[in-house]
Amino acid sequence: MATGCEDILEIAGQKIRSRLFVGTGKYAGSQQMKEALEISGAQVVTVAVRRVNISDRSRESLLDAIDLEKYILLPNTAGCYTAEDAIRYARLAREAGLSDWVKLEVIGDEKTLYPDNEALLQATKVLVKEGFIVLPYTNDDPVMARKLEDLGVAAVMPLGAPIGSGLGIQNPNNIRIIKEMARVPVIVDAGVGTASDATVAMELGCDAVLMNTGIAGAQDPIRMAEAMGLAVRAGRLAYLAGRIPKKSYATASSPAEGMVAR
Amino acid sequence: MATGCEDILEIAGQKIRSRLFVGTGKYAGSQQMKEALEISGAQVVTVAVRRVNISDRSRESLLDAIDLEKYILLPNTAGCYTAEDAIRYARLAREAGLSDWVKLEVIGDEKTLYPDNEALLQATKVLVKEGFIVLPYTNDDPVMARKLEDLGVAAVMPLGAPIGSGLGIQNPNNIRIIKEMARVPVIVDAGVGTASDATVAMELGCDAVLMNTGIAGAQDPIRMAEAMGLAVRAGRLAYLAGRIPKKSYATASSPAEGMVAR
Amino acid sequence: MATGCEDILEIAGQKIRSRLFVGTGKYAGSQQMKEALEISGAQVVTVAVRRVNISDRSRESLLDAIDLEKYILLPNTAGCYTAEDAIRYARLAREAGLSDWVKLEVIGDEKTLYPDNEALLQATKVLVKEGFIVLPYTNDDPVMARKLEDLGVAAVMPLGAPIGSGLGIQNPNNIRIIKEMARVPVIVDAGVGTASDATVAMELGCDAVLMNTGIAGAQDPIRMAEAMGLAVRAGRLAYLAGRIPKKSYATASSPAEGMVAR
Amino acid sequence: MATGCEDILEIAGQKIRSRLFVGTGKYAGSQQMKEALEISGAQVVTVAVRRVNISDRSRESLLDAIDLEKYILLPNTAGCYTAEDAIRYARLAREAGLSDWVKLEVIGDEKTLYPDNEALLQATKVLVKEGFIVLPYTNDDPVMARKLEDLGVAAVMPLGAPIGSGLGIQNPNNIRIIKEMARVPVIVDAGVGTASDATVAMELGCDAVLMNTGIAGAQDPIRMAEAMGLAVRAGRLAYLAGRIPKKSYATASSPAEGMVAR
Amino acid sequence: MEVTINGEPKSVPDSVRIAELIDFLELKKERVAVELNCFIVARKTWEDISLKPGDKLEIIHFVGGG
Amino acid sequence: MEVTINGEPKSVPDSVRIAELIDFLELKKERVAVELNCFIVARKTWEDISLKPGDKLEIIHFVGGG
Amino acid sequence: MEVTINGEPKSVPDSVRIAELIDFLELKKERVAVELNCFIVARKTWEDISLKPGDKLEIIHFVGGG
Amino acid sequence: MEVTINGEPKSVPDSVRIAELIDFLELKKERVAVELNCFIVARKTWEDISLKPGDKLEIIHFVGGG
């Protein structure tokens, strides 16, 4: 039996099996998305809130492809540039999804898609008061993380790098500090480009990793989804196992004594 | 069913299930070692050649702890500083192990335990002629790798960093170049300190990773062994999946169209 | 005559000779500080605002050691944790220094000394209205940088790493983005540990670098001050010169033709 | 007067003013080269050995552009793939240059231009016996460096990255180890792409840096030459000055006491 | 009568109730949320509320996103 | 009379003017700034303003900082 | 008689065969290799070769290593 | 007579001395080195050595390199 299985993530009282959270955007089709979700082992999946296409009913709804018994939906407020918009989308999401969870994004800039932290704090205040389980997408600023915590978020989700950039964790020191200071789970959100990026995030002590483009944009999304599932588990176990210290020089792994006579 | 399972490593005609090779040194005891080997999923395990302790027969032999049906023994020539010594140990290993495989080490310096490449080439020449399956421990020099190939080694094993240093792959560019030029399997040997180091090695396209201290020296070797097994699979799958390109700026993962009216 | 000498930095209409800004804290004595300032070539020097020691008049004042004909004083609001405090210190500094320049710091956390960006924006609003030349110490968030610009700061001063940490630029991608988006000078403030850190900051395109501990805390502050002066010039020139692109493989620097006959 | 001026490099009894060594290849013309050499401050300049063009006498000779009173010529054996060729070029160079110095290159691979270390050792043995001052271009292998030292080279010149790649020091740990073990000067040769790369090399404790493409290939070679001259001095001084230790968290540079009353 | 749904003019039965409208548009009730003139309409009230000419509706659902 | 300067009780001449106080404390006028009961006192008014018992003053100058 | 095994002097039965020696030392045949005076002794010849006084033997096996 | 210089056939005066050849080719003596049939010819012997038909010469100098 594998070790570390008793190591369960809990957010706002909800036990979560997998420390990999995945998005549902940018897949070639819903069949591909379903397979990717399945093999990734993820339980929490993010979705966006958009208008129904009333002129063309043909298009199947995303939710037909997602087994709600198996997955926890985490609606986002992607595309919102003001606190008002983000609050409006969060409320629509709650109405449509019958769940209080929201990945709160208030974007501050089109090129980086970095958050507008001022507006994020305003929106967080309102939504927490309305009983939402708020998981805010923020930058890697420990001061922001603490302010969000003080407002009552369920977790903080610092970015590792710009959304979809695939640059990996640009500032591991900040992520580590955020985790050391945090009293709520820390989820690295955005920037993961390949498996080792996810492993590094977990080795820093983070509680989970959220990604979308890193999987959906890979040449073979299914394989990458499997890779990410393994990578997150590997990073978590390595963190729990306690790595060896780094040294500039070598230490033999075979015994020095017992050599035959020269 | 997991993807990538049809992706089998073959060395000298031997099919190998797991791309993680592990050492057997430095464990607290053989029970701990057995569990670590088991959970790591490794099939190839390295061993050292040393004198039998004839005054104290009590000590159980390593091989009592290793199921030879399950594992492929890879004897090393650790501790040898000359071609002559390395050849002598390889021959003893063959005699004791009834196998032709050898992890050929000729150490050139005590502080770094880096190879003496001149002596390594000499020893390789002799042992290949004697029918050994030679897997040489070398540095990350593409020219050396090609010379070893030309001498008929079964694989090249460039170091990622000094043995036991835990520094991870110090020169990814060299490892990538070695792999691009190689016509035999490339196995990163030495330097892995944590799971992400192993994942990175595999993402560079390497065929396998060999480690000992990274697992045996961890605070919880069993958990780290599991982490390394997952990390190697994650890295391999990510390499096969084809990662997204890196970009300095962001790309949205949620659709831009379909926003509600302001 | 050296090239690049016509490359002058200008902040709020003030032409500034040197792109190295230095602090005056933590020196062994004012003689050491004077020599360090002198050899660094810096023109802008930061100072802190503190109570006069009225019980012990013996201590010479800092300003006795700084030739105000030669140096531009940049008072800071170090130690302030609220907008109110920072505003109060800025006003005191103006009254004492007869200058409108202020390095505006509003600290958000004791362990990282990272800024409280919300409070920083409030203080900036007030001080700009009062006619201060505000140079805010902020984190490496491009969104914050733009908000500060929109409030009318004279320059933005993103941190490279925690004050006094010596970690160097932790997130070069963010610093580059801030510079690409900025319409005012960008000065990397905090985190420089050694000369190459300063060179890297300038190679990213930044307009200047501000440091204190990296010089005053070195074993030989005078030598490090000289090193930093050279490093900043080197980085600036390299940026202007336009570096060669990076390649994984080699290109000969000696001609291929004209070899003698084999 | 600048500090560190008494810090003179000496190779084979020859005192050398500047720790920046530069190549003479790939310039737009000899006027540009002259200016670059001049502003770089370099004293040692490398040249290649090639056939005279007897059909077209128009072409001015390189040496017409280099004041031999001011510069120390370091002929290389670039383009040689065997010990024999390298020895032959070294002898021709001595005959043409009336100097015993040679930058010994024996290339092992066309794509990386990495050295053939076996052949390099052979050529070194012969040339040292013939009284040459041998400065061998080698890879970043501490074992090779020691073997070359034992053969009597005047300095070792490990590569930082492939020639002309501009990747900078790929394995700082190896370079540091080589320097710690070396009893002759260590000169980083090849791989420098921008000023900070040169600074880093010197901060590792190296005695000098040799580059060509990094300067000649820049968009503005003259400016980059000046940058490199400053960068090498900055790195050297920073090394001598003794940098501050790295810390994950902050330390204030302004005093904690003396704050006014709240 | 004419109303605006998701930014497009649309003819719908006079004083149609929202619940009816959802059927009329062949949408899955349990998958959508409705805003009427910028206020969210709680699902449980869809039976009661009927539209007036010129009403502005937003009908949203979940799509793939990160 | 008693006032508080930089947090410390201090006896100063009755209704001393700030300009006089600075001399009394042997401070360099052009190097310091003064807060009286939390309000900055412009240098040019130092001649005019005299202290009352219990006044709280902060007198600051520049020190080394980063 | 006296021989040297793994660097230690050892008394063994006169002209003992290597196969017998392995039993005498209670070692597992299939786990060890033997050098006699610096030459490897093939396992299949252990029955035939007997030791002489002063012979130097190295008997090795596998131990944990990386 | 015909010799080969730097790989190219070349007509030169019969039994021309190397020193003369360098002048003939308008090269700067102090900047070049000469190989005759794969052996370096020391500068001080250029006056004495004269070429034979079919001789192979390499004449090199320094060019820009790294």
Side-chain angles (χ1 to χ4, degrees):
Chain A
M1 182 46 203
T3 55
C5 282
E6 60 287 42
D7 165 54
I8 293 295
L9 170 63
E10 190 168 326
I11 297 177
Q14 166 78 59
K15 289 196 168 2
I16 297 166
R17 260 191 342 275
S18 169
R19 293 173 179 277
L20 172 62
F21 295 10
V22 297
T24 55
K26 302 174 109 179
Y27 284 95
S30 48
Q31 182 51 36
Q32 186 189 58
M33 182 198 75
K34 275 172 74 165
E35 286 177 40
L37 263 51
E38 174 66 30
I39 202 165
S40 75
Q43 185 177 9
V44 176
V45 301
T46 60
V47 293
V49 170
R50 292 292 182 268
R51 281 171 165 173
V52 169
N53 182 339
I54 58 167
S55 35
D56 164 16
R57 285 168 202 74
S58 69
R59 280 204 285 148
E60 123 191 278
S61 153
L62 175 78
L63 294 198
D64 300 335
I66 298 178
D67 175 352
L68 296 177
E69 300 304 308
K70 253 173 71 179
Y71 297 104
I72 299 170
L73 285 196
L74 179 57
N76 68 32
T77 60
C80 297
Y81 282 76
T82 64
E84 296 61 36
D85 272 358
I87 292 165
R88 182 181 179 192
Y89 275 69
R91 289 169 178 162
L92 284 167
R94 170 149 70 174
E95 196 59 28
L98 313 166
S99 143
D100 296 330
W101 289 47
V102 61
K103 174 187 170 182
L104 185 59
E105 299 182 44
V106 188
I107 302 304
D109 165 65
E110 283 199 332
K111 285 172 74 181
T112 58
L113 297 180
Y114 280 161
D116 178 330
N117 285 328
E118 270 184 305
L120 181 61
L121 289 169
Q122 296 162 24
T124 299
K125 235 173 266 157
V126 172
L127 293 172
V128 167
K129 186 167 296 105
E130 294 184 8
F132 280 87
I133 307 300
V134 178
L135 290 78
Y137 157 76
T138 177
N139 65 345
D140 60 9
D141 176 3
V143 176
M144 257 309 285
R146 214 202 31 249
K147 289 186 178 208
L148 289 163
E149 258 190 73
D150 294 344
L151 291 180
V153 297
V156 288
M157 306 209 296
L159 58 88
I163 292 171
S165 69
L167 292 175
I169 310 279
Q170 293 292 283
N171 192 336
N173 193 47
N174 273 5
I175 298 293
R176 183 188 293 104
I177 289 171
I178 288 172
K179 177 57 192 172
E180 285 172 6
M181 294 184 170
R183 298 170 308 263
V184 296
V186 174
I187 302 165
V188 167
D189 180 3
V192 168
T194 183
S196 53
D197 297 336
T199 308
V200 166
M202 298 306 294
E203 287 172 340
L204 289 169
C206 294
D207 299 278
V209 180
L210 194 164
M211 66 186 71
N212 186 343
T213 308
I215 294 174
Q219 286 166 46
D220 181 343
I222 311 302
R223 259 195 175 137
M224 190 56 91
E226 183 181 7
M228 291 298 185
L230 297 169
V232 167
R233 288 172 53 202
R236 178 63 179 178
L237 285 166
Y239 170 72
L240 296 172
R243 62 157 293 155
I244 56 173
K246 294 183 178 187
K247 305 167 34 275
S248 289
Y249 287 92
T251 333
S253 47
S254 301
E257 65 283 2
M259 304 291 288
V260 299
R262 291 266 155 65
Chain B
M1 181 48 202
T3 56
C5 282
E6 60 286 36
D7 165 55
I8 294 294
L9 170 63
E10 191 169 325
I11 297 177
Q14 166 79 57
K15 290 197 168 0
I16 296 167
R17 259 191 343 274
S18 169
R19 292 172 180 276
L20 172 62
F21 294 10
V22 297
T24 55
K26 304 174 105 178
Y27 284 96
S30 49
Q31 183 51 34
Q32 186 188 58
M33 181 198 74
K34 274 173 74 165
E35 286 177 41
L37 263 52
E38 175 66 29
I39 202 164
S40 75
Q43 186 178 9
V44 176
V45 301
T46 60
V47 294
V49 170
R50 292 292 183 268
R51 281 172 165 173
V52 169
N53 182 338
I54 59 167
S55 35
D56 164 15
R57 286 170 202 71
S58 68
R59 278 205 287 150
E60 133 193 88
S61 151
L62 176 78
L63 294 197
D64 299 335
I66 298 178
D67 175 352
L68 297 175
E69 300 303 308
K70 253 173 73 179
Y71 296 103
I72 299 170
L73 285 196
L74 179 58
N76 69 31
T77 60
C80 297
Y81 282 76
T82 64
E84 296 60 38
D85 272 359
I87 292 164
R88 183 181 179 192
Y89 275 69
R91 289 169 177 161
L92 284 167
R94 170 150 70 175
E95 197 58 28
L98 313 166
S99 144
D100 297 329
W101 289 46
V102 62
K103 173 186 169 182
L104 185 59
E105 298 183 44
V106 187
I107 302 306
D109 165 66
E110 282 199 333
K111 283 172 73 181
T112 59
L113 296 180
Y114 279 161
D116 178 332
N117 285 328
E118 269 185 308
L120 180 62
L121 289 168
Q122 297 162 25
T124 299
K125 234 173 263 153
V126 172
L127 292 173
V128 167
K129 187 169 293 103
E130 294 184 6
F132 280 87
I133 307 300
V134 179
L135 289 78
Y137 156 75
T138 177
N139 66 344
D140 60 8
D141 177 4
V143 176
M144 258 308 287
R146 213 199 35 247
K147 288 184 179 211
L148 288 163
E149 258 191 71
D150 295 344
L151 291 179
V153 298
V156 288
M157 307 209 296
L159 58 88
I163 292 171
S165 69
L167 292 176
I169 311 278
Q170 292 292 284
N171 193 336
N173 193 45
N174 273 4
I175 298 293
R176 184 188 291 102
I177 288 170
I178 288 171
K179 177 56 192 173
E180 285 171 7
M181 293 182 168
R183 298 171 308 266
V184 296
V186 175
I187 303 165
V188 168
D189 180 3
V192 169
T194 183
S196 52
D197 297 335
T199 308
V200 165
M202 297 306 294
E203 287 172 339
L204 289 169
C206 294
D207 298 279
V209 180
L210 194 164
M211 66 186 71
N212 186 343
T213 308
I215 294 174
Q219 287 167 47
D220 180 342
I222 311 301
R223 258 196 177 138
M224 189 58 89
E226 182 181 9
M228 292 298 185
L230 297 170
V232 166
R233 287 172 54 203
R236 179 62 178 178
L237 284 166
Y239 170 72
L240 296 172
R243 63 158 290 154
I244 55 172
K246 294 184 178 187
K247 305 163 40 268
S248 288
Y249 286 91
T251 332
S253 47
S254 301
E257 64 284 0
M259 304 290 288
V260 299
R262 292 262 156 68
Chain C
M1 183 45 201
T3 56
C5 282
E6 59 285 40
D7 165 54
I8 294 294
L9 171 63
E10 190 168 326
I11 297 177
Q14 166 78 58
K15 288 197 172 355
I16 297 167
R17 257 189 347 272
S18 169
R19 292 172 181 278
L20 172 61
F21 295 11
V22 297
T24 54
K26 304 173 105 177
Y27 283 96
S30 48
Q31 183 50 35
Q32 186 189 59
M33 182 198 74
K34 275 172 74 165
E35 286 177 41
L37 262 51
E38 174 66 31
I39 203 164
S40 75
Q43 185 177 11
V44 176
V45 302
T46 60
V47 294
V49 170
R50 293 293 183 266
R51 281 172 164 172
V52 169
N53 182 338
I54 58 168
S55 35
D56 163 18
R57 286 170 202 71
S58 68
R59 278 205 287 147
E60 126 192 274
S61 152
L62 175 77
L63 293 197
D64 299 335
I66 298 179
D67 175 353
L68 296 176
E69 300 303 307
K70 251 172 75 177
Y71 296 103
I72 300 169
L73 285 196
L74 179 58
N76 68 32
T77 61
C80 297
Y81 282 76
T82 65
E84 296 60 38
D85 272 359
I87 292 164
R88 182 180 179 193
Y89 276 70
R91 289 170 177 162
L92 283 167
R94 171 151 68 176
E95 196 59 28
L98 313 166
S99 144
D100 297 328
W101 289 45
V102 62
K103 173 187 169 183
L104 185 59
E105 297 183 45
V106 188
I107 302 305
D109 165 65
E110 282 198 331
K111 285 172 73 180
T112 58
L113 296 180
Y114 280 161
D116 178 331
N117 285 327
E118 269 184 306
L120 180 61
L121 289 168
Q122 298 162 23
T124 300
K125 234 174 265 156
V126 172
L127 293 173
V128 167
K129 186 167 296 107
E130 294 185 7
F132 280 87
I133 307 300
V134 179
L135 289 79
Y137 156 75
T138 177
N139 65 344
D140 60 9
D141 176 3
V143 176
M144 258 308 286
R146 216 205 27 251
K147 288 186 178 207
L148 288 163
E149 259 190 70
D150 295 344
L151 291 179
V153 298
V156 288
M157 307 209 296
L159 58 89
I163 292 170
S165 68
L167 291 175
I169 311 278
Q170 291 293 283
N171 192 338
N173 193 46
N174 272 5
I175 298 293
R176 184 188 291 105
I177 289 171
I178 287 172
K179 176 57 192 174
E180 285 171 7
M181 293 183 169
R183 298 171 307 265
V184 296
V186 174
I187 302 164
V188 168
D189 180 2
V192 169
T194 184
S196 52
D197 297 336
T199 309
V200 166
M202 297 306 294
E203 287 172 341
L204 289 169
C206 294
D207 298 279
V209 180
L210 194 165
M211 67 187 70
N212 186 342
T213 308
I215 293 173
Q219 287 166 45
D220 181 344
I222 311 302
R223 258 196 176 135
M224 189 58 89
E226 182 180 10
M228 290 299 184
L230 297 169
V232 166
R233 287 172 55 203
R236 179 61 179 179
L237 284 166
Y239 169 73
L240 296 172
R243 62 158 292 154
I244 56 172
K246 295 183 178 186
K247 306 166 35 274
S248 290
Y249 287 92
T251 330
S253 46
S254 301
E257 63 283 359
M259 303 293 287
V260 301
R262 292 261 152 69
Chain D
M1 182 47 198
T3 55
C5 282
E6 60 287 41
D7 165 54
I8 294 294
L9 170 63
E10 189 168 326
I11 297 177
Q14 165 78 59
K15 288 197 169 359
I16 297 167
R17 259 192 340 275
S18 169
R19 293 172 180 278
L20 172 62
F21 294 12
V22 297
T24 55
K26 303 175 104 179
Y27 284 95
S30 49
Q31 183 50 36
Q32 187 188 58
M33 182 199 73
K34 274 173 73 164
E35 287 177 41
L37 262 51
E38 174 67 30
I39 202 164
S40 75
Q43 184 176 13
V44 176
V45 302
T46 60
V47 294
V49 170
R50 293 293 183 267
R51 281 173 165 172
V52 169
N53 181 340
I54 58 168
S55 36
D56 164 16
R57 285 171 202 73
S58 69
R59 279 206 285 147
E60 123 192 276
S61 152
L62 175 77
L63 293 198
D64 299 335
I66 298 178
D67 175 352
L68 296 176
E69 300 304 307
K70 250 172 73 178
Y71 296 104
I72 299 170
L73 285 196
L74 179 58
N76 68 32
T77 61
C80 297
Y81 283 75
T82 65
E84 296 62 37
D85 272 358
I87 293 165
R88 182 181 179 192
Y89 276 70
R91 290 169 177 164
L92 284 167
R94 170 150 69 174
E95 197 58 29
L98 314 166
S99 144
D100 296 328
W101 289 45
V102 61
K103 174 188 169 184
L104 185 59
E105 297 183 46
V106 188
I107 302 305
D109 166 65
E110 283 199 331
K111 285 171 74 179
T112 59
L113 297 180
Y114 280 162
D116 179 331
N117 285 327
E118 270 185 307
L120 181 61
L121 289 168
Q122 296 162 25
T124 299
K125 236 173 263 156
V126 171
L127 292 173
V128 167
K129 187 168 294 105
E130 295 185 7
F132 280 87
I133 306 300
V134 179
L135 290 78
Y137 156 74
T138 178
N139 65 344
D140 60 8
D141 177 3
V143 176
M144 258 308 287
R146 214 201 34 246
K147 289 185 179 209
L148 289 163
E149 259 190 72
D150 295 344
L151 291 179
V153 298
V156 287
M157 307 209 295
L159 58 88
I163 293 171
S165 69
L167 291 175
I169 310 279
Q170 292 292 283
N171 193 336
N173 193 46
N174 273 4
I175 298 293
R176 184 188 292 103
I177 289 170
I178 288 172
K179 177 57 192 173
E180 285 171 6
M181 294 184 169
R183 298 171 308 264
V184 295
V186 174
I187 302 165
V188 167
D189 180 3
V192 169
T194 183
S196 52
D197 297 336
T199 309
V200 166
M202 297 306 294
E203 287 172 340
L204 289 168
C206 294
D207 299 279
V209 179
L210 193 165
M211 65 187 72
N212 186 339
T213 307
I215 294 174
Q219 287 166 46
D220 180 343
I222 311 302
R223 259 195 176 139
M224 189 58 89
E226 183 180 8
M228 291 297 185
L230 297 169
V232 166
R233 287 171 56 202
R236 179 62 180 178
L237 284 167
Y239 170 73
L240 296 172
R243 62 157 293 156
I244 56 172
K246 294 184 179 188
K247 308 169 26 280
S248 289
Y249 286 91
T251 332
S253 45
S254 302
E257 65 285 0
M259 303 292 287
V260 299
R262 291 263 155 65
Chain E
M1 66 181 184
E2 289 293 308
V3 297
T4 304
I5 305 181
N6 292 353
E8 299 170 23
K10 189 87 182 168
S11 308
V12 298
D14 287 3
S15 63
V16 64
R17 291 199 175 68
I18 288 174
E20 295 164 342
L21 178 70
I22 299 300
D23 295 336
F24 175 79
L25 296 171
E26 298 170 20
L27 301 174
K28 302 210 180 94
K29 283 194 166 43
E30 64 289 345
R31 300 291 170 84
V32 300
V34 177
E35 258 187 16
L36 174 53
N37 303 324
C38 291
F39 290 96
I40 287 182
V41 186
R43 193 179 298 278
K44 59 183 180 315
T45 67
W46 288 358
E47 288 300 336
D48 319 325
I49 296 171
S50 53
L51 303 187
K52 295 175 304 308
D55 275 343
K56 288 190 165 26
L57 284 95
E58 293 284 348
I59 308 179
I60 65 87
H61 65 161
F62 291 139
V63 300
Chain F
M1 67 183 185
E2 287 295 308
V3 297
T4 304
I5 304 180
N6 292 352
E8 299 170 21
K10 189 87 183 169
S11 308
V12 299
D14 287 2
S15 60
V16 64
R17 289 196 179 70
I18 288 174
E20 295 163 344
L21 177 70
I22 299 298
D23 294 336
F24 176 79
L25 296 172
E26 298 170 20
L27 300 174
K28 301 206 179 104
K29 281 192 170 45
E30 63 289 342
R31 298 291 171 83
V32 300
V34 178
E35 257 187 14
L36 174 54
N37 303 325
C38 294
F39 289 95
I40 287 182
V41 186
R43 192 179 300 278
K44 60 182 178 322
T45 66
W46 287 358
E47 289 298 340
D48 317 327
I49 296 172
S50 53
L51 302 186
K52 293 175 306 305
D55 275 343
K56 287 188 166 29
L57 283 96
E58 292 284 348
I59 309 180
I60 66 87
H61 65 162
F62 290 140
V63 301
Chain G
M1 65 181 186
E2 288 293 308
V3 297
T4 303
I5 304 180
N6 292 353
E8 301 171 20
K10 189 87 183 169
S11 309
V12 298
D14 286 4
S15 62
V16 65
R17 291 200 175 69
I18 287 174
E20 295 164 343
L21 178 70
I22 299 299
D23 295 338
F24 175 79
L25 296 172
E26 299 170 18
L27 302 173
K28 300 209 181 97
K29 283 193 167 44
E30 63 289 344
R31 299 290 170 83
V32 301
V34 178
E35 259 188 12
L36 173 54
N37 303 324
C38 293
F39 289 96
I40 287 182
V41 186
R43 193 179 298 278
K44 59 182 179 317
T45 67
W46 288 357
E47 288 299 338
D48 317 326
I49 296 172
S50 54
L51 303 187
K52 294 175 304 306
D55 275 344
K56 287 190 165 27
L57 283 95
E58 293 285 347
I59 308 179
I60 64 87
H61 65 161
F62 291 139
V63 302
Chain H
M1 67 181 183
E2 289 292 309
V3 297
T4 304
I5 306 181
N6 292 354
E8 299 171 21
K10 189 89 183 167
S11 308
V12 299
D14 287 4
S15 61
V16 64
R17 289 197 178 70
I18 288 175
E20 296 164 343
L21 178 69
I22 298 299
D23 294 336
F24 175 78
L25 295 172
E26 302 171 16
L27 300 174
K28 301 208 179 98
K29 282 195 170 43
E30 64 289 344
R31 298 290 170 83
V32 300
V34 178
E35 257 187 15
L36 174 55
N37 304 324
C38 294
F39 289 94
I40 287 183
V41 186
R43 193 179 297 276
K44 60 184 179 318
T45 67
W46 288 358
E47 288 298 338
D48 318 326
I49 296 171
S50 54
L51 303 187
K52 295 175 305 306
D55 275 343
K56 288 191 164 27
L57 284 95
E58 292 284 348
I59 309 180
I60 64 86
H61 65 161
F62 291 139
V63 302

